Coordinates of all heavy atoms in Angstrom, one line a residue:
D1 N 0.8 -1.2 0.0 CA 0.0 0.0 0.0 C 0.9 1.2 0.0 O 2.1 1.1 0.0 CB -0.9 0.0 1.2 CG -2.2 0.8 1.0 OD1 -2.3 1.5 -0.1 OD2 -3.0 0.8 1.9
V2 N 0.3 2.4 0.0 CA 1.0 3.6 0.0 C 0.6 4.5 1.2 O -0.6 4.6 1.5 CB 0.7 4.4 -1.3 CG1 1.4 5.8 -1.3 CG2 1.1 3.6 -2.5
T3 N 1.5 5.1 1.9 CA 1.2 6.0 3.0 C 0.6 7.3 2.5 O 0.9 7.7 1.4 CB 2.4 6.3 3.9 OG1 3.4 6.9 3.1 CG2 2.9 5.0 4.5
P4 N -0.3 7.9 3.2 CA -0.8 9.2 2.8 C 0.2 10.3 2.8 O 1.2 10.2 3.5 CB -1.9 9.4 3.8 CG -1.5 8.7 5.1 CD -0.7 7.5 4.6
Y5 N 0.0 11.3 2.0 CA 0.9 12.4 1.9 C 0.7 13.3 3.2 O -0.4 13.6 3.6 CB 0.5 13.3 0.7 CG 1.3 14.6 0.6 CD1 2.6 14.6 0.3 CD2 0.6 15.8 0.9 CE1 3.3 15.8 0.3 CE2 1.3 17.0 0.9 CZ 2.6 17.0 0.6 OH 3.3 18.2 0.6
V6 N 1.8 13.7 3.7 CA 1.8 14.6 4.9 C 2.6 15.8 4.4 O 3.7 15.7 4.0 CB 2.4 14.0 6.1 CG1 2.6 15.0 7.2 CG2 1.6 12.8 6.6
N7 N 2.1 17.0 4.6 CA 2.7 18.2 4.2 C 4.0 18.4 5.0 O 3.9 18.6 6.3 CB 1.8 19.4 4.3 CG 2.4 20.7 3.7 OD1 3.6 20.9 3.6 ND2 1.5 21.6 3.3
A8 N 5.1 18.4 4.4 CA 6.4 18.6 5.2 C 6.6 19.9 5.8 O 7.3 20.1 6.7 CB 7.6 18.2 4.2
R9 N 5.9 20.9 5.2 CA 5.9 22.3 5.8 C 5.2 22.3 7.1 O 5.6 23.0 8.0 CB 5.3 23.3 4.8 CG 6.2 23.5 3.6 CD 5.7 24.6 2.7 NE 6.6 24.8 1.6 CZ 6.3 25.5 0.6 NH1 5.1 26.2 0.5 NH2 7.1 25.7 -0.4
E10 N 4.1 21.6 7.2 CA 3.4 21.5 8.5 C 4.1 20.6 9.5 O 4.0 20.8 10.7 CB 2.0 21.0 8.2 CG 1.1 21.9 7.4 CD -0.3 21.3 7.2 OE1 -0.7 20.4 7.9 OE2 -0.9 21.8 6.2
H11 N 4.8 19.6 9.0 CA 5.5 18.7 9.9 C 6.9 18.5 9.4 O 7.2 17.5 8.7 CB 4.8 17.3 9.9 CG 3.3 17.4 10.3 ND1 2.9 17.5 11.6 CD2 2.2 17.4 9.6 CE1 1.6 17.5 11.7 NE2 1.2 17.5 10.4
P12 N 7.8 19.4 9.6 CA 9.1 19.4 9.1 C 10.0 18.2 9.7 O 10.9 17.8 9.0 CB 9.7 20.7 9.4 CG 8.9 21.3 10.6 CD 7.5 20.7 10.4
K13 N 9.6 17.8 10.8 CA 10.4 16.6 11.4 C 9.5 15.4 11.4 O 8.3 15.5 11.7 CB 10.8 17.0 12.9 CG 11.9 18.1 12.9 CD 12.2 18.3 14.4 CE 13.2 17.2 14.8 NZ 13.7 17.4 16.2
H14 N 10.1 14.3 11.2 CA 9.4 13.0 11.3 C 8.2 12.8 10.3 O 7.2 12.2 10.6 CB 8.9 12.7 12.7 CG 9.9 13.0 13.8 ND1 11.1 12.3 13.8 CD2 10.0 13.8 14.8 CE1 11.9 12.7 14.8 NE2 11.2 13.7 15.4
T15 N 8.4 13.4 9.1 CA 7.3 13.4 8.1 C 6.9 11.9 7.8 O 5.7 11.6 7.8 CB 7.7 14.1 6.8 OG1 8.0 15.4 7.2 CG2 6.6 14.1 5.8
R16 N 7.9 11.1 7.5 CA 7.6 9.7 7.2 C 6.9 8.9 8.4 O 6.1 8.1 8.2 CB 8.8 9.0 6.7 CG 9.3 9.5 5.4 CD 10.5 8.7 4.9 NE 11.0 9.3 3.7 CZ 11.3 8.7 2.6 NH1 11.2 7.4 2.6 NH2 11.7 9.3 1.5
G17 N 7.4 9.3 9.6 CA 6.8 8.6 10.7 C 5.3 9.0 10.9 O 4.5 8.1 11.3
I18 N 5.0 10.2 10.6 CA 3.6 10.7 10.7 C 2.8 10.0 9.6 O 1.7 9.6 9.9 CB 3.5 12.2 10.6 CG1 4.2 12.8 11.9 CG2 2.1 12.6 10.5 CD1 4.4 14.3 11.8
E19 N 3.4 9.8 8.4 CA 2.7 9.1 7.4 C 2.4 7.7 7.7 O 1.3 7.2 7.5 CB 3.5 9.2 6.1 CG 3.6 10.5 5.4 CD 4.6 10.6 4.3 OE1 5.4 9.6 4.1 OE2 4.6 11.6 3.6
V20 N 3.4 7.0 8.3 CA 3.2 5.6 8.7 C 2.1 5.5 9.8 O 1.2 4.7 9.8 CB 4.5 5.0 9.2 CG1 4.2 3.6 9.8 CG2 5.4 4.8 8.0
K21 N 2.2 6.4 10.8 CA 1.2 6.3 11.9 C -0.2 6.6 11.4 O -1.2 6.0 11.8 CB 1.6 7.3 13.0 CG 0.8 7.2 14.3 CD 1.4 8.0 15.4 CE 0.7 7.7 16.7 NZ 1.3 8.4 17.8
T22 N -0.3 7.6 10.5 CA -1.6 7.9 9.9 C -2.2 6.7 9.1 O -3.3 6.4 9.3 CB -1.5 9.1 8.9 OG1 -1.0 10.2 9.7 CG2 -2.8 9.5 8.3
W23 N -1.3 6.0 8.4 CA -1.7 4.8 7.6 C -2.2 3.7 8.6 O -3.2 3.1 8.4 CB -0.6 4.3 6.7 CG -1.1 3.2 5.9 CD1 -1.5 3.3 4.6 CD2 -1.1 1.8 6.2 NE1 -1.9 2.1 4.1 CE2 -1.6 1.1 5.1 CE3 -0.8 1.1 7.3 CZ2 -1.8 -0.3 5.0 CZ3 -1.0 -0.3 7.3 CH2 -1.5 -1.0 6.2
L24 N -1.4 3.5 9.6 CA -1.8 2.5 10.6 C -3.1 2.8 11.3 O -4.0 1.9 11.4 CB -0.7 2.4 11.7 CG 0.7 1.8 11.3 CD1 1.7 2.0 12.4 CD2 0.5 0.3 10.9
R25 N -3.3 4.0 11.6 CA -4.6 4.4 12.3 C -5.7 4.3 11.3 O -6.8 3.7 11.6 CB -4.5 5.9 12.8 CG -5.8 6.3 13.5 CD -5.7 7.8 14.0 NE -4.5 8.0 14.8 CZ -3.6 8.9 14.4 NH1 -3.6 9.5 13.3 NH2 -2.5 9.1 15.2
K26 N -5.6 4.8 10.1 CA -6.6 4.7 9.1 C -7.1 3.3 8.7 O -8.2 3.0 8.4 CB -6.2 5.5 7.8 CG -7.1 5.5 6.7 CD -6.6 6.2 5.4 CE -7.5 6.0 4.3 NZ -6.9 6.5 3.0
N27 N -6.1 2.4 8.7 CA -6.4 1.0 8.3 C -6.6 0.1 9.5 O -6.7 -1.2 9.3 CB -5.2 0.5 7.4 CG -5.3 1.2 6.1 OD1 -6.1 0.9 5.2 ND2 -4.4 2.2 5.9
G28 N -6.7 0.6 10.7 CA -7.0 -0.2 11.8 C -5.9 -1.1 12.4 O -6.1 -2.1 13.0
Y29 N -4.6 -0.7 12.1 CA -3.5 -1.4 12.6 C -2.7 -0.8 13.7 O -1.7 -1.3 14.1 CB -2.5 -1.7 11.4 CG -3.1 -2.7 10.4 CD1 -3.6 -2.3 9.2 CD2 -3.1 -4.0 10.7 CE1 -4.1 -3.2 8.2 CE2 -3.6 -5.0 9.8 CZ -4.1 -4.5 8.5 OH -4.6 -5.4 7.7
L30 N -3.2 0.4 14.2 CA -2.5 1.0 15.3 C -2.5 0.1 16.5 O -3.5 -0.4 16.9 CB -3.1 2.4 15.6 CG -2.3 3.4 16.3 CD1 -1.0 3.7 15.5 CD2 -3.1 4.7 16.5
G31 N -1.3 -0.1 17.0 CA -1.2 -1.1 18.2 C -0.8 -2.5 17.7 O -0.5 -3.3 18.6
C32 N -0.8 -2.7 16.4 CA -0.4 -4.0 15.9 C 1.1 -4.0 15.7 O 1.8 -3.0 15.6 CB -1.1 -4.4 14.6 SG -2.9 -4.6 14.8
R33 N 1.7 -5.2 15.5 CA 3.1 -5.3 15.2 C 3.3 -5.0 13.7 O 2.5 -5.3 12.8 CB 3.6 -6.8 15.4 CG 3.7 -7.1 16.9 CD 4.0 -8.5 17.1 NE 2.7 -9.2 17.1 CZ 2.6 -10.5 17.3 NH1 3.6 -11.2 17.6 NH2 1.4 -11.1 17.3
Y34 N 4.4 -4.3 13.4 CA 4.7 -3.9 12.1 C 6.2 -3.6 12.0 O 6.9 -3.5 13.0 CB 4.0 -2.6 11.7 CG 4.3 -1.4 12.5 CD1 5.3 -0.5 12.1 CD2 3.7 -1.1 13.7 CE1 5.7 0.6 12.9 CE2 4.0 0.0 14.5 CZ 5.0 0.9 14.0 OH 5.4 1.9 14.8
V35 N 6.7 -3.6 10.8 CA 8.1 -3.3 10.5 C 8.2 -2.2 9.4 O 7.4 -2.2 8.5 CB 8.9 -4.5 10.0 CG1 10.3 -4.2 9.5 CG2 8.9 -5.6 11.0
I36 N 9.1 -1.2 9.6 CA 9.3 -0.2 8.7 C 10.7 -0.5 8.0 O 11.7 -0.6 8.7 CB 9.4 1.2 9.3 CG1 8.0 1.5 10.0 CG2 9.7 2.3 8.3 CD1 8.1 2.7 10.9
I37 N 10.7 -0.6 6.7 CA 11.9 -0.7 5.9 C 12.0 0.5 5.1 O 11.2 0.8 4.2 CB 11.9 -2.0 5.0 CG1 11.6 -3.2 5.9 CG2 13.1 -2.1 4.2 CD1 11.4 -4.5 5.2
D38 N 13.1 1.3 5.3 CA 13.2 2.6 4.6 C 14.7 2.9 4.6 O 15.5 2.4 5.3 CB 12.4 3.7 5.3 CG 12.0 4.7 4.3 OD1 12.8 5.1 3.4 OD2 10.9 5.2 4.4
D39 N 15.0 3.8 3.7 CA 16.4 4.3 3.6 C 16.6 5.7 4.1 O 17.7 6.3 4.0 CB 16.9 4.3 2.1 CG 16.1 5.2 1.2 OD1 15.0 5.6 1.6 OD2 16.5 5.4 0.1
I40 N 15.6 6.2 4.8 CA 15.7 7.6 5.4 C 15.2 7.4 6.8 O 14.1 6.9 7.1 CB 14.9 8.6 4.7 CG1 15.5 8.8 3.2 CG2 14.9 9.9 5.4 CD1 14.7 9.8 2.4
D41 N 15.9 7.9 7.8 CA 15.5 7.9 9.2 C 14.8 9.1 9.6 O 15.3 10.1 10.1 CB 16.8 7.7 10.1 CG 16.5 7.5 11.5 OD1 15.3 7.3 11.8 OD2 17.4 7.6 12.3
D42 N 13.5 9.1 9.2 CA 12.6 10.3 9.5 C 11.4 9.9 10.2 O 10.3 10.2 9.8 CB 12.3 11.0 8.1 CG 11.6 12.3 8.3 OD1 11.8 13.0 9.4 OD2 10.9 12.7 7.4
F43 N 11.6 9.1 11.3 CA 10.4 8.5 11.9 C 10.3 9.0 13.4 O 11.2 9.6 13.9 CB 10.6 7.0 11.9 CG 10.4 6.4 10.5 CD1 11.6 6.3 9.7 CD2 9.2 6.2 9.9 CE1 11.5 5.9 8.4 CE2 9.1 5.7 8.6 CZ 10.2 5.6 7.8
L44 N 9.2 8.7 13.9 CA 8.9 9.1 15.3 C 9.7 8.2 16.3 O 10.1 7.1 15.9 CB 7.4 8.9 15.6 CG 6.4 9.7 14.7 CD1 5.0 9.2 15.0 CD2 6.5 11.2 15.0
D45 N 10.1 8.8 17.4 CA 10.9 8.0 18.4 C 10.2 6.7 18.7 O 11.0 5.7 18.9 CB 11.0 8.8 19.7 CG 11.9 10.1 19.5 OD1 12.7 10.1 18.5 OD2 11.8 11.0 20.3
E46 N 8.9 6.6 18.8 CA 8.2 5.4 19.2 C 8.4 4.3 18.1 O 8.1 3.2 18.3 CB 6.7 5.7 19.4 CG 6.0 6.1 18.2 CD 4.7 6.8 18.5 OE1 4.7 7.8 19.2 OE2 3.7 6.4 17.9
Q47 N 8.7 4.7 16.9 CA 8.9 3.8 15.7 C 10.3 3.3 15.5 O 10.5 2.4 14.7 CB 8.4 4.5 14.5 CG 6.9 4.8 14.5 CD 6.5 5.8 13.4 OE1 7.3 6.6 13.0 NE2 5.3 5.6 12.9
G48 N 11.2 3.9 16.3 CA 12.7 3.6 16.1 C 13.0 2.1 16.2 O 13.8 1.6 15.4
A49 N 12.4 1.4 17.1 CA 12.7 0.0 17.3 C 12.1 -0.9 16.2 O 12.5 -2.0 16.0 CB 12.1 -0.5 18.6
R50 N 11.2 -0.3 15.4 CA 10.5 -1.0 14.3 C 11.1 -0.7 13.0 O 10.7 -1.2 11.9 CB 9.0 -0.7 14.3 CG 8.3 -1.1 15.5 CD 7.5 -2.3 15.3 NE 7.1 -2.9 16.5 CZ 7.1 -4.2 16.7 NH1 7.6 -5.0 15.8 NH2 6.7 -4.7 17.8
L51 N 12.1 0.1 12.9 CA 12.8 0.6 11.7 C 14.0 -0.3 11.3 O 14.9 -0.5 12.1 CB 13.2 2.0 11.9 CG 14.0 2.6 10.7 CD1 13.2 2.7 9.4 CD2 14.5 4.0 11.0
I52 N 14.0 -0.7 10.1 CA 15.1 -1.4 9.5 C 15.6 -0.4 8.5 O 15.0 -0.2 7.4 CB 14.8 -2.7 8.9 CG1 14.3 -3.7 9.9 CG2 16.0 -3.3 8.1 CD1 13.8 -5.0 9.4
L53 N 16.8 0.2 8.8 CA 17.3 1.3 7.9 C 18.2 0.6 6.9 O 19.2 -0.1 7.2 CB 18.1 2.3 8.8 CG 18.5 3.6 8.1 CD1 17.3 4.3 7.6 CD2 19.3 4.4 9.1
T54 N 17.9 0.9 5.6 CA 18.7 0.4 4.5 C 19.4 1.6 3.8 O 19.2 2.7 4.2 CB 17.8 -0.3 3.5 OG1 16.9 0.6 2.9 CG2 17.0 -1.5 4.2
N55 N 20.1 1.3 2.8 CA 20.6 2.3 1.9 C 20.7 1.7 0.5 O 20.6 0.5 0.2 CB 21.9 2.9 2.3 CG 23.1 1.9 2.2 OD1 23.3 1.3 1.2 ND2 23.9 1.8 3.2
Y56 N 20.8 2.6 -0.5 CA 20.7 2.2 -1.9 C 21.9 1.3 -2.3 O 21.8 0.6 -3.4 CB 20.6 3.4 -2.8 CG 21.9 4.2 -2.9 CD1 22.8 4.0 -4.0 CD2 22.2 5.2 -2.0 CE1 23.9 4.7 -4.1 CE2 23.3 5.9 -2.1 CZ 24.2 5.7 -3.2 OH 25.4 6.4 -3.2
K57 N 23.0 1.3 -1.6 CA 24.2 0.5 -2.0 C 24.1 -0.9 -1.5 O 24.5 -1.8 -2.2 CB 25.4 1.1 -1.3 CG 25.8 2.4 -2.0 CD 27.1 3.0 -1.4 CE 27.5 4.3 -2.0 NZ 28.7 4.8 -1.4
R58 N 23.4 -1.2 -0.4 CA 23.4 -2.5 0.1 C 22.0 -3.1 0.3 O 21.8 -4.3 0.5 CB 24.1 -2.7 1.5 CG 23.5 -1.9 2.6 CD 24.1 -2.3 3.9 NE 23.7 -1.4 5.0 CZ 22.5 -1.5 5.6 NH1 21.6 -2.4 5.2 NH2 22.2 -0.6 6.5
W59 N 21.0 -2.3 0.2 CA 19.6 -2.6 0.3 C 19.4 -3.5 1.6 O 19.8 -3.1 2.7 CB 19.0 -3.2 -0.9 CG 17.5 -2.9 -1.0 CD1 16.9 -1.7 -1.2 CD2 16.5 -3.8 -0.8 NE1 15.6 -1.8 -1.1 CE2 15.3 -3.1 -0.9 CE3 16.4 -5.2 -0.4 CZ2 14.0 -3.8 -0.7 CZ3 15.2 -5.8 -0.3 CH2 14.0 -5.1 -0.4
L60 N 18.8 -4.6 1.4 CA 18.5 -5.5 2.6 C 19.6 -6.5 2.8 O 20.0 -7.2 1.8 CB 17.2 -6.2 2.5 CG 16.0 -5.4 2.7 CD1 14.7 -6.3 2.5 CD2 15.9 -4.9 4.2
R61 N 20.1 -6.7 4.0 CA 21.0 -7.7 4.3 C 20.2 -8.9 4.9 O 19.1 -8.7 5.4 CB 22.1 -7.2 5.3 CG 22.9 -6.1 4.8 CD 23.7 -5.5 5.9 NE 22.9 -4.9 6.9 CZ 23.3 -4.4 8.0 NH1 24.6 -4.3 8.3 NH2 22.4 -3.9 8.9
C62 N 20.8 -10.0 5.0 CA 20.2 -11.2 5.7 C 19.8 -10.8 7.1 O 18.7 -11.2 7.6 CB 21.2 -12.4 5.6 SG 20.4 -13.9 6.3
F63 N 20.7 -10.1 7.8 CA 20.4 -9.7 9.2 C 19.2 -8.9 9.3 O 18.4 -9.0 10.2 CB 21.6 -8.9 9.8 CG 21.3 -8.3 11.1 CD1 21.4 -9.1 12.3 CD2 21.0 -7.0 11.2 CE1 21.1 -8.5 13.5 CE2 20.7 -6.4 12.4 CZ 20.7 -7.2 13.6
D64 N 19.0 -8.0 8.3 CA 17.8 -7.1 8.3 C 16.5 -8.0 8.1 O 15.5 -7.7 8.8 CB 17.8 -6.1 7.1 CG 19.0 -5.2 7.2 OD1 19.4 -4.8 8.3 OD2 19.5 -4.8 6.1
L65 N 16.6 -9.0 7.3 CA 15.4 -9.9 7.1 C 15.1 -10.6 8.4 O 13.9 -10.7 8.8 CB 15.6 -10.8 5.9 CG 15.8 -10.2 4.6 CD1 16.2 -11.2 3.5 CD2 14.5 -9.5 4.2
I66 N 16.1 -11.1 9.0 CA 15.9 -11.9 10.3 C 15.3 -10.9 11.3 O 14.4 -11.3 12.1 CB 17.2 -12.5 10.7 CG1 17.6 -13.6 9.7 CG2 17.1 -13.0 12.2 CD1 19.0 -14.2 9.9
K67 N 15.9 -9.7 11.4 CA 15.3 -8.8 12.4 C 13.9 -8.5 12.1 O 13.1 -8.4 13.0 CB 16.2 -7.5 12.3 CG 15.7 -6.4 13.3 CD 16.5 -5.1 13.2 CE 15.9 -4.1 14.1 NZ 16.6 -2.8 14.0
G68 N 13.5 -8.3 10.8 CA 12.1 -8.0 10.5 C 11.2 -9.1 10.9 O 10.1 -8.9 11.4
I69 N 11.6 -10.3 10.6 CA 10.8 -11.5 11.0 C 10.7 -11.6 12.5 O 9.6 -11.8 13.0 CB 11.4 -12.8 10.4 CG1 11.3 -12.8 8.9 CG2 10.7 -14.0 11.0 CD1 12.1 -13.9 8.2
W70 N 11.8 -11.3 13.2 CA 11.7 -11.4 14.7 C 10.8 -10.3 15.2 O 10.0 -10.5 16.1 CB 13.2 -11.1 15.2 CG 13.2 -11.2 16.7 CD1 13.3 -12.3 17.5 CD2 13.2 -10.1 17.6 NE1 13.3 -11.9 18.8 CE2 13.2 -10.5 18.9 CE3 13.1 -8.7 17.4 CZ2 13.2 -9.7 20.0 CZ3 13.1 -7.8 18.5 CH2 13.2 -8.4 19.8
L71 N 10.8 -9.1 14.6 CA 9.9 -8.0 15.1 C 8.5 -8.3 14.9 O 7.6 -8.0 15.7 CB 10.3 -6.7 14.4 CG 11.5 -6.0 14.8 CD1 11.9 -4.9 13.8 CD2 11.4 -5.4 16.2
L72 N 8.2 -9.0 13.8 CA 6.8 -9.3 13.5 C 6.3 -10.5 14.4 O 5.1 -10.6 14.7 CB 6.6 -9.7 12.0 CG 6.8 -8.6 11.0 CD1 6.8 -9.1 9.6 CD2 5.7 -7.5 11.2
N73 N 7.2 -11.3 14.8 CA 6.8 -12.5 15.7 C 6.9 -12.2 17.2 O 6.4 -13.0 18.0 CB 7.7 -13.7 15.3 CG 7.3 -14.3 14.0 OD1 6.1 -14.3 13.7 ND2 8.3 -14.7 13.2
S74 N 7.6 -11.1 17.6 CA 7.7 -10.8 19.0 C 6.6 -9.9 19.5 O 5.9 -9.2 18.7 CB 9.1 -10.1 19.2 OG 9.1 -8.9 18.6
K75 N 6.5 -9.8 20.8 CA 5.4 -9.0 21.4 C 5.9 -7.7 21.8 O 7.0 -7.4 22.0 CB 4.8 -9.7 22.6 CG 4.1 -10.9 22.2 CD 3.4 -11.5 23.3 CE 2.6 -12.8 22.9 NZ 1.8 -13.4 23.9

């Protein structure tokens, strides 16, 4: 799916984090387990533990995939 657009002028910090939280709330997943995979660290503090930070040079590593699976299966 696609996260909703959030005006960066209104929310200059944590724009992507607000987009993800808005999507979770809108789709009834707020409070559920989730993983964020992104190449920019622009998320809310509460989302930091759920973030797998990648970059365009290495994209996903095996460790990243294992961490993502662990996050989805843990409480």
Side-chain angles (χ1 to χ4, degrees):
D1 203 356
V2 177
T3 58
Y5 171 75
V6 172
N7 188 336
R9 289 185 180 171
E10 293 177 21
H11 303 282
K13 292 181 78 176
H14 311 300
T15 302
R16 289 179 187 229
I18 294 168
E19 290 172 349
V20 168
K21 190 169 187 175
T22 301
W23 187 95
L24 291 169
R25 184 181 305 115
K26 178 183 173 189
N27 290 284
Y29 290 104
L30 201 59
C32 295
R33 289 175 272 187
Y34 64 93
V35 174
I36 299 168
I37 301 172
D38 207 320
D39 62 346
I40 297 175
D41 186 10
D42 189 26
F43 293 91
L44 302 169
D45 291 339
E46 66 197 55
Q47 297 166 326
R50 299 258 166 221
L51 174 63
I52 297 175
L53 192 60
T54 64
N55 69 47
Y56 72 95
K57 290 182 181 177
R58 65 168 170 79
W59 206 71
L60 282 176
R61 300 171 296 178
C62 184
F63 172 79
D64 298 327
L65 296 173
I66 292 169
K67 179 181 177 184
I69 292 167
W70 181 83
L71 286 169
L72 291 173
N73 287 321
S74 65
K75 292 185 180 184

